Every structure is written in structure tokens, then in C-alpha cells.
Amino acid sequence: MGMKDKAGKMQGQAKQKMHEGQQQAQQRGQQAQQRGQQTAQQAQQRGQQAQERGRQATERGRQNLDDTEQEMQDRFDQDYDA
């Protein structure tokens, strides 16, 4: 094998390695992007769940207030009916 052939072969191998490296970098980039999207979706779901829990707590608070007002009205009625 002549020096030119050897140099050409080495240059071809170097180009192949470079191409493989670019492909791997692209795959890592895509995987990172997918993980980022998944993380964003999970964060959005957690936010929605927290919002729903907040709404439920508010509704329970309203219900408790309504119950308390009704209890006070019942006591008032009982006190003055006697």
C-alpha cells in the first residue's frame, strides 16, 4: 500500500468518525429535547393538579362557612323560640 493510499484511507476513516460523532451529538440533542418536553408536561400537570386542589379547598371553605352560618341561624332560632 502506497503512502497516498494509506493517507487517503486514514482521511476516510477520520471523516467517518467525524460523521459518527455528529450523529451521536444529534441523537443526544434530540433525547435532551424530549426529556425537556416531558419535564415541561409533568410540570404543567402538577400545576393543574395544584390548581384543582386549591379550587377544592376553596369550595370546602365556602361549604364550611355556609354550614357555620346555618348553625348560627339554627341556634338563634332555638334561643328565641324557647
Short mmCIF file of all heavy atoms in Angstrom, two decimals, residues 3-72:
data_model
loop_
_atom_site.label_atom_id
_atom_site.label_comp_id
_atom_site.label_asym_id
_atom_site.label_seq_id
_atom_site.Cartn_x
_atom_site.Cartn_y
_atom_site.Cartn_z
N MET A 3 1.89 5.36 0.20
CA MET A 3 1.64 6.41 1.20
C MET A 3 0.36 7.17 0.88
O MET A 3 -0.39 7.55 1.79
CB MET A 3 2.83 7.38 1.25
CG MET A 3 4.09 6.74 1.82
SD MET A 3 3.86 6.15 3.51
CE MET A 3 4.06 7.64 4.40
N LYS A 4 0.11 7.40 -0.42
CA LYS A 4 -1.11 8.12 -0.79
C LYS A 4 -2.33 7.30 -0.42
O LYS A 4 -3.33 7.84 0.07
CB LYS A 4 -1.12 8.43 -2.29
CG LYS A 4 -0.21 9.54 -2.68
CD LYS A 4 -0.39 9.88 -4.15
CE LYS A 4 0.50 11.03 -4.54
NZ LYS A 4 0.34 11.40 -5.94
N ASP A 5 -2.27 6.00 -0.67
CA ASP A 5 -3.40 5.13 -0.34
C ASP A 5 -3.65 5.12 1.16
O ASP A 5 -4.79 5.19 1.63
CB ASP A 5 -3.15 3.70 -0.82
CG ASP A 5 -3.13 3.59 -2.34
OD1 ASP A 5 -3.75 4.48 -2.99
OD2 ASP A 5 -2.53 2.65 -2.85
N LYS A 6 -2.55 5.04 1.92
CA LYS A 6 -2.67 5.00 3.38
C LYS A 6 -3.24 6.31 3.90
O LYS A 6 -4.11 6.33 4.77
CB LYS A 6 -1.29 4.73 3.98
CG LYS A 6 -1.33 4.35 5.43
CD LYS A 6 0.04 3.89 5.91
CE LYS A 6 -0.04 3.37 7.32
NZ LYS A 6 1.25 2.92 7.81
N ALA A 7 -2.76 7.43 3.37
CA ALA A 7 -3.25 8.75 3.79
C ALA A 7 -4.73 8.90 3.42
O ALA A 7 -5.53 9.42 4.20
CB ALA A 7 -2.43 9.86 3.15
N GLY A 8 -5.09 8.44 2.24
CA GLY A 8 -6.49 8.52 1.80
C GLY A 8 -7.39 7.67 2.69
O GLY A 8 -8.51 8.09 3.03
N LYS A 9 -6.89 6.49 3.04
CA LYS A 9 -7.67 5.60 3.90
C LYS A 9 -7.85 6.23 5.29
O LYS A 9 -8.95 6.22 5.85
CB LYS A 9 -6.97 4.25 4.02
CG LYS A 9 -7.75 3.24 4.82
CD LYS A 9 -7.04 1.89 4.84
CE LYS A 9 -7.81 0.90 5.68
NZ LYS A 9 -7.13 -0.38 5.80
N MET A 10 -6.79 6.82 5.81
CA MET A 10 -6.86 7.44 7.13
C MET A 10 -7.80 8.65 7.09
O MET A 10 -8.56 8.90 8.04
CB MET A 10 -5.47 7.86 7.61
CG MET A 10 -4.61 6.65 7.97
SD MET A 10 -2.96 7.12 8.50
CE MET A 10 -3.30 7.75 10.11
N GLN A 11 -7.74 9.39 6.00
CA GLN A 11 -8.62 10.55 5.87
C GLN A 11 -10.08 10.09 5.80
O GLN A 11 -10.96 10.68 6.42
CB GLN A 11 -8.26 11.33 4.61
CG GLN A 11 -9.03 12.63 4.47
CD GLN A 11 -8.61 13.41 3.21
OE1 GLN A 11 -8.00 12.85 2.29
NE2 GLN A 11 -8.95 14.68 3.19
N GLY A 12 -10.34 9.01 5.09
CA GLY A 12 -11.70 8.46 5.01
C GLY A 12 -12.19 7.99 6.37
O GLY A 12 -13.35 8.22 6.74
N GLN A 13 -11.31 7.35 7.15
CA GLN A 13 -11.68 6.90 8.48
C GLN A 13 -11.97 8.09 9.39
O GLN A 13 -12.91 8.07 10.18
CB GLN A 13 -10.55 6.04 9.08
CG GLN A 13 -10.42 4.67 8.45
CD GLN A 13 -9.20 3.91 8.96
OE1 GLN A 13 -8.28 4.48 9.53
NE2 GLN A 13 -9.20 2.60 8.72
N ALA A 14 -11.16 9.14 9.24
CA ALA A 14 -11.37 10.34 10.07
C ALA A 14 -12.72 10.98 9.74
O ALA A 14 -13.46 11.40 10.63
CB ALA A 14 -10.24 11.33 9.85
N LYS A 15 -13.04 11.05 8.46
CA LYS A 15 -14.33 11.61 8.06
C LYS A 15 -15.48 10.77 8.60
O LYS A 15 -16.51 11.29 9.05
CB LYS A 15 -14.42 11.71 6.54
CG LYS A 15 -13.61 12.84 5.97
CD LYS A 15 -13.78 12.91 4.45
CE LYS A 15 -12.96 14.04 3.86
NZ LYS A 15 -13.09 14.14 2.41
N GLN A 16 -15.32 9.45 8.55
CA GLN A 16 -16.36 8.54 9.06
C GLN A 16 -16.56 8.74 10.56
O GLN A 16 -17.68 8.82 11.05
CB GLN A 16 -15.97 7.08 8.76
CG GLN A 16 -16.97 6.05 9.26
CD GLN A 16 -18.33 6.17 8.57
OE1 GLN A 16 -18.44 6.59 7.42
NE2 GLN A 16 -19.38 5.81 9.28
N LYS A 17 -15.44 8.84 11.30
CA LYS A 17 -15.52 9.07 12.75
C LYS A 17 -16.21 10.40 13.05
O LYS A 17 -17.02 10.51 13.96
CB LYS A 17 -14.12 9.07 13.37
CG LYS A 17 -13.48 7.74 13.44
CD LYS A 17 -13.70 7.15 14.80
CE LYS A 17 -12.89 5.87 14.92
NZ LYS A 17 -13.32 5.08 16.02
N MET A 18 -15.87 11.42 12.27
CA MET A 18 -16.47 12.73 12.46
C MET A 18 -17.98 12.66 12.20
O MET A 18 -18.79 13.21 12.97
CB MET A 18 -15.83 13.75 11.52
CG MET A 18 -16.24 15.17 11.80
SD MET A 18 -15.33 16.39 10.83
CE MET A 18 -15.93 16.06 9.19
N HIS A 19 -18.36 11.96 11.16
CA HIS A 19 -19.77 11.80 10.83
C HIS A 19 -20.51 11.06 11.95
O HIS A 19 -21.61 11.45 12.35
CB HIS A 19 -19.93 11.06 9.50
CG HIS A 19 -21.34 10.88 9.05
ND1 HIS A 19 -22.12 11.92 8.64
CD2 HIS A 19 -22.11 9.77 8.97
CE1 HIS A 19 -23.32 11.48 8.33
NE2 HIS A 19 -23.35 10.17 8.52
N GLU A 20 -19.89 10.01 12.47
CA GLU A 20 -20.49 9.25 13.58
C GLU A 20 -20.64 10.14 14.82
O GLU A 20 -21.66 10.10 15.50
CB GLU A 20 -19.64 8.02 13.92
CG GLU A 20 -19.70 6.93 12.87
CD GLU A 20 -18.68 5.82 13.11
OE1 GLU A 20 -17.98 5.84 14.16
OE2 GLU A 20 -18.58 4.92 12.26
N GLY A 21 -19.65 10.96 15.09
CA GLY A 21 -19.71 11.88 16.22
C GLY A 21 -20.84 12.88 16.07
O GLY A 21 -21.55 13.20 17.03
N GLN A 22 -21.03 13.39 14.85
CA GLN A 22 -22.12 14.34 14.59
C GLN A 22 -23.48 13.67 14.81
O GLN A 22 -24.39 14.27 15.39
CB GLN A 22 -22.02 14.88 13.17
CG GLN A 22 -20.88 15.85 12.96
CD GLN A 22 -20.68 16.22 11.50
OE1 GLN A 22 -21.11 15.49 10.60
NE2 GLN A 22 -20.02 17.35 11.27
N GLN A 23 -23.60 12.44 14.35
CA GLN A 23 -24.86 11.71 14.53
C GLN A 23 -25.15 11.48 16.01
O GLN A 23 -26.28 11.65 16.46
CB GLN A 23 -24.83 10.38 13.78
CG GLN A 23 -24.94 10.51 12.28
CD GLN A 23 -24.86 9.16 11.58
OE1 GLN A 23 -24.20 8.23 12.04
NE2 GLN A 23 -25.56 9.04 10.46
N GLN A 24 -24.13 11.10 16.74
CA GLN A 24 -24.32 10.86 18.18
C GLN A 24 -24.71 12.15 18.89
O GLN A 24 -25.58 12.16 19.75
CB GLN A 24 -23.04 10.28 18.79
CG GLN A 24 -22.78 8.84 18.39
CD GLN A 24 -21.43 8.33 18.89
OE1 GLN A 24 -20.61 9.11 19.37
NE2 GLN A 24 -21.22 7.03 18.77
N ALA A 25 -24.07 13.25 18.52
CA ALA A 25 -24.39 14.54 19.13
C ALA A 25 -25.83 14.93 18.81
O ALA A 25 -26.56 15.44 19.67
CB ALA A 25 -23.43 15.62 18.63
N GLN A 26 -26.25 14.67 17.59
CA GLN A 26 -27.63 14.97 17.19
C GLN A 26 -28.62 14.13 17.99
O GLN A 26 -29.64 14.63 18.46
CB GLN A 26 -27.80 14.73 15.69
CG GLN A 26 -29.15 15.15 15.16
CD GLN A 26 -29.28 14.92 13.65
OE1 GLN A 26 -28.43 14.25 13.04
NE2 GLN A 26 -30.31 15.47 13.05
N GLN A 27 -28.30 12.85 18.17
CA GLN A 27 -29.18 11.98 18.96
C GLN A 27 -29.27 12.45 20.41
O GLN A 27 -30.34 12.48 21.00
CB GLN A 27 -28.67 10.54 18.91
CG GLN A 27 -28.89 9.85 17.58
CD GLN A 27 -28.24 8.48 17.52
OE1 GLN A 27 -27.45 8.11 18.39
NE2 GLN A 27 -28.56 7.71 16.47
N ARG A 28 -28.13 12.84 20.97
CA ARG A 28 -28.13 13.34 22.36
C ARG A 28 -28.97 14.61 22.46
O ARG A 28 -29.70 14.82 23.42
CB ARG A 28 -26.71 13.57 22.85
CG ARG A 28 -25.98 12.28 23.20
CD ARG A 28 -24.69 12.56 23.96
NE ARG A 28 -23.73 13.34 23.19
CZ ARG A 28 -22.80 12.83 22.39
NH1 ARG A 28 -22.68 11.53 22.26
NH2 ARG A 28 -21.96 13.61 21.74
N GLY A 29 -28.85 15.45 21.46
CA GLY A 29 -29.65 16.68 21.44
C GLY A 29 -31.14 16.38 21.39
O GLY A 29 -31.94 17.00 22.09
N GLN A 30 -31.52 15.42 20.56
CA GLN A 30 -32.93 15.04 20.45
C GLN A 30 -33.43 14.44 21.75
O GLN A 30 -34.54 14.72 22.20
CB GLN A 30 -33.13 14.06 19.29
CG GLN A 30 -32.98 14.69 17.92
CD GLN A 30 -32.97 13.66 16.80
OE1 GLN A 30 -32.81 12.47 17.03
NE2 GLN A 30 -33.13 14.12 15.57
N GLN A 31 -32.61 13.61 22.38
CA GLN A 31 -33.00 13.00 23.65
C GLN A 31 -33.17 14.06 24.72
O GLN A 31 -34.13 14.02 25.51
CB GLN A 31 -31.96 11.97 24.09
CG GLN A 31 -31.95 10.72 23.24
CD GLN A 31 -30.75 9.82 23.53
OE1 GLN A 31 -29.80 10.23 24.19
NE2 GLN A 31 -30.79 8.59 23.02
N ALA A 32 -32.27 15.03 24.75
CA ALA A 32 -32.37 16.11 25.73
C ALA A 32 -33.64 16.93 25.49
O ALA A 32 -34.33 17.32 26.44
CB ALA A 32 -31.14 17.01 25.65
N GLN A 33 -33.95 17.15 24.23
CA GLN A 33 -35.16 17.91 23.90
C GLN A 33 -36.41 17.14 24.34
O GLN A 33 -37.34 17.72 24.89
CB GLN A 33 -35.20 18.16 22.39
CG GLN A 33 -36.35 19.05 21.96
CD GLN A 33 -36.33 19.31 20.45
OE1 GLN A 33 -35.64 18.62 19.70
NE2 GLN A 33 -37.07 20.30 20.02
N GLN A 34 -36.42 15.83 24.12
CA GLN A 34 -37.56 15.02 24.55
C GLN A 34 -37.71 15.04 26.07
O GLN A 34 -38.82 15.17 26.59
CB GLN A 34 -37.39 13.58 24.06
CG GLN A 34 -37.59 13.42 22.56
CD GLN A 34 -37.20 12.03 22.07
OE1 GLN A 34 -36.60 11.24 22.79
NE2 GLN A 34 -37.54 11.73 20.83
N ARG A 35 -36.59 14.93 26.78
CA ARG A 35 -36.65 14.99 28.24
C ARG A 35 -37.17 16.35 28.70
O ARG A 35 -37.94 16.45 29.64
CB ARG A 35 -35.27 14.71 28.85
CG ARG A 35 -34.91 13.23 28.86
CD ARG A 35 -33.69 12.97 29.74
NE ARG A 35 -32.50 13.70 29.30
CZ ARG A 35 -31.63 13.27 28.39
NH1 ARG A 35 -31.80 12.10 27.80
NH2 ARG A 35 -30.57 13.99 28.07
N GLY A 36 -36.74 17.39 28.01
CA GLY A 36 -37.22 18.74 28.34
C GLY A 36 -38.72 18.86 28.14
O GLY A 36 -39.42 19.44 28.96
N GLN A 37 -39.22 18.29 27.05
CA GLN A 37 -40.66 18.33 26.78
C GLN A 37 -41.42 17.53 27.84
O GLN A 37 -42.47 17.96 28.32
CB GLN A 37 -40.95 17.78 25.39
CG GLN A 37 -40.51 18.71 24.27
CD GLN A 37 -40.62 18.07 22.90
OE1 GLN A 37 -40.75 16.85 22.77
NE2 GLN A 37 -40.55 18.87 21.85
N GLN A 38 -40.90 16.37 28.20
CA GLN A 38 -41.56 15.55 29.22
C GLN A 38 -41.59 16.28 30.55
O GLN A 38 -42.62 16.29 31.25
CB GLN A 38 -40.83 14.21 29.38
CG GLN A 38 -41.02 13.25 28.23
CD GLN A 38 -40.13 12.02 28.33
OE1 GLN A 38 -39.16 11.99 29.09
NE2 GLN A 38 -40.45 11.00 27.56
N THR A 39 -40.49 16.92 30.89
CA THR A 39 -40.42 17.67 32.14
C THR A 39 -41.42 18.82 32.13
O THR A 39 -42.11 19.06 33.13
CB THR A 39 -38.99 18.20 32.37
OG1 THR A 39 -38.09 17.09 32.40
CG2 THR A 39 -38.88 18.98 33.66
N ALA A 40 -41.53 19.49 31.00
CA ALA A 40 -42.49 20.60 30.89
C ALA A 40 -43.92 20.09 31.03
O ALA A 40 -44.75 20.71 31.70
CB ALA A 40 -42.30 21.32 29.56
N GLN A 41 -44.22 18.95 30.41
CA GLN A 41 -45.56 18.37 30.52
C GLN A 41 -45.87 17.98 31.96
O GLN A 41 -46.97 18.22 32.46
CB GLN A 41 -45.70 17.16 29.60
CG GLN A 41 -45.75 17.51 28.12
CD GLN A 41 -45.68 16.26 27.24
OE1 GLN A 41 -45.33 15.18 27.69
NE2 GLN A 41 -45.99 16.44 25.96
N GLN A 42 -44.89 17.38 32.62
CA GLN A 42 -45.10 16.98 34.01
C GLN A 42 -45.32 18.20 34.89
O GLN A 42 -46.19 18.19 35.77
CB GLN A 42 -43.90 16.17 34.51
CG GLN A 42 -43.81 14.79 33.88
CD GLN A 42 -42.48 14.10 34.19
OE1 GLN A 42 -41.54 14.71 34.67
NE2 GLN A 42 -42.41 12.81 33.89
N ALA A 43 -44.56 19.25 34.65
CA ALA A 43 -44.72 20.47 35.44
C ALA A 43 -46.10 21.08 35.21
O ALA A 43 -46.75 21.54 36.15
CB ALA A 43 -43.63 21.48 35.07
N GLN A 44 -46.55 21.04 33.97
CA GLN A 44 -47.88 21.57 33.65
C GLN A 44 -48.96 20.74 34.36
O GLN A 44 -49.90 21.30 34.92
CB GLN A 44 -48.10 21.55 32.14
CG GLN A 44 -49.40 22.19 31.72
CD GLN A 44 -49.57 22.18 30.20
OE1 GLN A 44 -48.83 21.52 29.48
NE2 GLN A 44 -50.55 22.92 29.71
N GLN A 45 -48.81 19.43 34.35
CA GLN A 45 -49.78 18.57 35.03
C GLN A 45 -49.80 18.83 36.52
O GLN A 45 -50.86 18.92 37.14
CB GLN A 45 -49.46 17.10 34.76
CG GLN A 45 -49.76 16.65 33.36
CD GLN A 45 -49.26 15.24 33.06
OE1 GLN A 45 -48.49 14.67 33.83
NE2 GLN A 45 -49.68 14.68 31.94
N ARG A 46 -48.61 18.98 37.11
CA ARG A 46 -48.54 19.27 38.55
C ARG A 46 -49.19 20.62 38.85
O ARG A 46 -49.87 20.77 39.87
CB ARG A 46 -47.09 19.24 39.03
CG ARG A 46 -46.55 17.83 39.19
CD ARG A 46 -45.23 17.82 39.93
NE ARG A 46 -44.17 18.49 39.21
CZ ARG A 46 -43.33 17.91 38.36
NH1 ARG A 46 -43.42 16.62 38.13
NH2 ARG A 46 -42.39 18.60 37.76
N GLY A 47 -48.98 21.57 37.98
CA GLY A 47 -49.61 22.89 38.16
C GLY A 47 -51.12 22.79 38.11
O GLY A 47 -51.84 23.40 38.92
N GLN A 48 -51.64 22.02 37.17
CA GLN A 48 -53.08 21.85 37.04
C GLN A 48 -53.65 21.12 38.27
O GLN A 48 -54.72 21.47 38.77
CB GLN A 48 -53.42 21.08 35.77
CG GLN A 48 -53.19 21.89 34.51
CD GLN A 48 -53.31 21.05 33.25
OE1 GLN A 48 -53.28 19.83 33.29
NE2 GLN A 48 -53.43 21.71 32.10
N GLN A 49 -52.91 20.12 38.75
CA GLN A 49 -53.36 19.39 39.93
C GLN A 49 -53.40 20.32 41.15
O GLN A 49 -54.34 20.26 41.94
CB GLN A 49 -52.46 18.19 40.19
CG GLN A 49 -52.61 17.09 39.17
CD GLN A 49 -51.51 16.03 39.27
OE1 GLN A 49 -50.51 16.22 39.94
NE2 GLN A 49 -51.71 14.91 38.58
N ALA A 50 -52.38 21.14 41.28
CA ALA A 50 -52.33 22.07 42.41
C ALA A 50 -53.48 23.07 42.32
O ALA A 50 -54.11 23.40 43.33
CB ALA A 50 -51.00 22.81 42.43
N GLN A 51 -53.76 23.52 41.11
CA GLN A 51 -54.87 24.44 40.91
C GLN A 51 -56.19 23.79 41.31
O GLN A 51 -57.03 24.41 41.98
CB GLN A 51 -54.94 24.82 39.43
CG GLN A 51 -54.94 26.28 39.17
CD GLN A 51 -54.96 26.56 37.66
OE1 GLN A 51 -55.03 25.66 36.83
NE2 GLN A 51 -54.90 27.82 37.32
N GLU A 52 -56.37 22.54 40.93
CA GLU A 52 -57.61 21.82 41.26
C GLU A 52 -57.72 21.64 42.77
O GLU A 52 -58.80 21.81 43.34
CB GLU A 52 -57.64 20.46 40.55
CG GLU A 52 -58.89 19.65 40.81
CD GLU A 52 -60.16 20.35 40.38
OE1 GLU A 52 -60.12 21.18 39.45
OE2 GLU A 52 -61.22 20.07 40.98
N ARG A 53 -56.61 21.29 43.43
CA ARG A 53 -56.65 21.15 44.89
C ARG A 53 -57.00 22.48 45.54
O ARG A 53 -57.74 22.52 46.53
CB ARG A 53 -55.30 20.65 45.41
CG ARG A 53 -55.09 19.15 45.17
CD ARG A 53 -53.89 18.63 45.94
NE ARG A 53 -52.65 19.28 45.59
CZ ARG A 53 -51.82 18.91 44.62
NH1 ARG A 53 -52.10 17.87 43.89
NH2 ARG A 53 -50.71 19.58 44.40
N GLY A 54 -56.51 23.57 44.98
CA GLY A 54 -56.84 24.89 45.50
C GLY A 54 -58.32 25.19 45.35
O GLY A 54 -58.97 25.72 46.27
N ARG A 55 -58.88 24.84 44.21
CA ARG A 55 -60.32 25.04 43.99
C ARG A 55 -61.14 24.21 44.97
O ARG A 55 -62.14 24.68 45.52
CB ARG A 55 -60.70 24.68 42.55
CG ARG A 55 -60.43 25.78 41.55
CD ARG A 55 -61.16 25.52 40.24
NE ARG A 55 -60.55 24.45 39.46
CZ ARG A 55 -59.57 24.61 38.60
NH1 ARG A 55 -59.05 25.80 38.41
NH2 ARG A 55 -59.07 23.59 37.94
N GLN A 56 -60.71 22.96 45.18
CA GLN A 56 -61.43 22.09 46.11
C GLN A 56 -61.37 22.64 47.53
O GLN A 56 -62.36 22.62 48.25
CB GLN A 56 -60.85 20.67 46.06
CG GLN A 56 -61.14 19.93 44.77
CD GLN A 56 -60.38 18.62 44.65
OE1 GLN A 56 -59.50 18.32 45.45
NE2 GLN A 56 -60.72 17.84 43.62
N ALA A 57 -60.20 23.14 47.92
CA ALA A 57 -60.05 23.70 49.27
C ALA A 57 -60.94 24.93 49.42
O ALA A 57 -61.57 25.13 50.46
CB ALA A 57 -58.60 24.05 49.54
N THR A 58 -60.99 25.75 48.39
CA THR A 58 -61.84 26.94 48.43
C THR A 58 -63.30 26.55 48.56
O THR A 58 -64.05 27.14 49.34
CB THR A 58 -61.63 27.78 47.15
OG1 THR A 58 -60.25 28.16 47.08
CG2 THR A 58 -62.50 29.01 47.14
N GLU A 59 -63.70 25.54 47.81
CA GLU A 59 -65.10 25.08 47.87
C GLU A 59 -65.42 24.52 49.26
O GLU A 59 -66.49 24.79 49.81
CB GLU A 59 -65.36 24.02 46.80
CG GLU A 59 -66.80 23.56 46.71
CD GLU A 59 -67.77 24.70 46.47
OE1 GLU A 59 -67.44 25.66 45.74
OE2 GLU A 59 -68.89 24.65 47.03
N ARG A 60 -64.48 23.76 49.83
CA ARG A 60 -64.70 23.24 51.19
C ARG A 60 -64.82 24.39 52.19
O ARG A 60 -65.65 24.36 53.10
CB ARG A 60 -63.56 22.30 51.60
CG ARG A 60 -63.69 20.90 51.02
CD ARG A 60 -62.73 19.93 51.70
NE ARG A 60 -61.34 20.36 51.68
CZ ARG A 60 -60.48 20.11 50.70
NH1 ARG A 60 -60.86 19.41 49.64
NH2 ARG A 60 -59.24 20.53 50.77
N GLY A 61 -64.00 25.41 52.01
CA GLY A 61 -64.06 26.57 52.89
C GLY A 61 -65.41 27.26 52.79
O GLY A 61 -66.00 27.65 53.81
N ARG A 62 -65.91 27.40 51.56
CA ARG A 62 -67.23 28.01 51.37
C ARG A 62 -68.32 27.17 52.04
O ARG A 62 -69.22 27.69 52.68
CB ARG A 62 -67.54 28.16 49.88
CG ARG A 62 -66.88 29.30 49.24
CD ARG A 62 -67.48 29.57 47.85
NE ARG A 62 -66.61 30.46 47.13
CZ ARG A 62 -65.90 30.13 46.07
NH1 ARG A 62 -65.97 28.91 45.58
NH2 ARG A 62 -65.12 31.00 45.49
N GLN A 63 -68.21 25.86 51.86
CA GLN A 63 -69.21 24.96 52.44
C GLN A 63 -69.18 25.04 53.96
O GLN A 63 -70.22 25.08 54.60
CB GLN A 63 -68.95 23.51 51.98
CG GLN A 63 -70.00 22.52 52.45
CD GLN A 63 -71.38 22.83 51.90
OE1 GLN A 63 -71.52 23.15 50.73
NE2 GLN A 63 -72.39 22.75 52.73
N ASN A 64 -67.97 25.08 54.53
CA ASN A 64 -67.84 25.19 55.98
C ASN A 64 -68.43 26.51 56.47
O ASN A 64 -69.09 26.55 57.52
CB ASN A 64 -66.38 25.09 56.42
CG ASN A 64 -65.84 23.68 56.28
OD1 ASN A 64 -66.60 22.72 56.19
ND2 ASN A 64 -64.53 23.56 56.23
N LEU A 65 -68.21 27.58 55.73
CA LEU A 65 -68.77 28.88 56.10
C LEU A 65 -70.29 28.84 56.04
O LEU A 65 -70.97 29.32 56.95
CB LEU A 65 -68.22 29.96 55.17
CG LEU A 65 -68.62 31.39 55.48
CD1 LEU A 65 -68.15 31.79 56.86
CD2 LEU A 65 -68.05 32.34 54.43
N ASP A 66 -70.82 28.24 54.99
CA ASP A 66 -72.28 28.10 54.87
C ASP A 66 -72.83 27.28 56.03
O ASP A 66 -73.87 27.63 56.62
CB ASP A 66 -72.67 27.43 53.54
CG ASP A 66 -72.40 28.34 52.34
OD1 ASP A 66 -72.20 29.56 52.54
OD2 ASP A 66 -72.38 27.81 51.21
N ASP A 67 -72.14 26.19 56.38
CA ASP A 67 -72.58 25.34 57.49
C ASP A 67 -72.58 26.14 58.80
O ASP A 67 -73.52 26.05 59.60
CB ASP A 67 -71.68 24.12 57.64
CG ASP A 67 -71.84 23.13 56.49
OD1 ASP A 67 -72.80 23.28 55.70
OD2 ASP A 67 -70.98 22.23 56.37
N THR A 68 -71.53 26.92 59.01
CA THR A 68 -71.41 27.70 60.24
C THR A 68 -72.53 28.73 60.32
O THR A 68 -73.14 28.92 61.37
CB THR A 68 -70.04 28.41 60.29
OG1 THR A 68 -69.03 27.41 60.21
CG2 THR A 68 -69.86 29.18 61.57
N GLU A 69 -72.81 29.40 59.21
CA GLU A 69 -73.90 30.37 59.19
C GLU A 69 -75.24 29.70 59.49
O GLU A 69 -76.06 30.24 60.24
CB GLU A 69 -73.96 31.08 57.83
CG GLU A 69 -72.81 32.04 57.62
CD GLU A 69 -72.83 32.66 56.23
OE1 GLU A 69 -73.68 32.30 55.40
OE2 GLU A 69 -71.96 33.51 55.98
N GLN A 70 -75.46 28.52 58.95
CA GLN A 70 -76.70 27.79 59.19
C GLN A 70 -76.80 27.38 60.67
O GLN A 70 -77.86 27.49 61.28
CB GLN A 70 -76.80 26.55 58.29
CG GLN A 70 -78.12 25.82 58.40
CD GLN A 70 -79.30 26.69 57.99
OE1 GLN A 70 -79.25 27.38 56.97
NE2 GLN A 70 -80.36 26.70 58.78
N GLU A 71 -75.67 26.92 61.23
CA GLU A 71 -75.67 26.54 62.64
C GLU A 71 -75.99 27.74 63.53
O GLU A 71 -76.75 27.62 64.49
CB GLU A 71 -74.30 25.95 63.03
CG GLU A 71 -74.04 24.58 62.44
CD GLU A 71 -72.60 24.13 62.62
OE1 GLU A 71 -71.81 24.84 63.29
OE2 GLU A 71 -72.25 23.06 62.09
N MET A 72 -75.41 28.89 63.20
CA MET A 72 -75.69 30.09 63.98
C MET A 72 -77.17 30.47 63.87
O MET A 72 -77.81 30.84 64.86
CB MET A 72 -74.80 31.25 63.50
CG MET A 72 -73.35 31.09 63.88
SD MET A 72 -72.24 32.31 63.17
CE MET A 72 -73.02 33.84 63.54
#
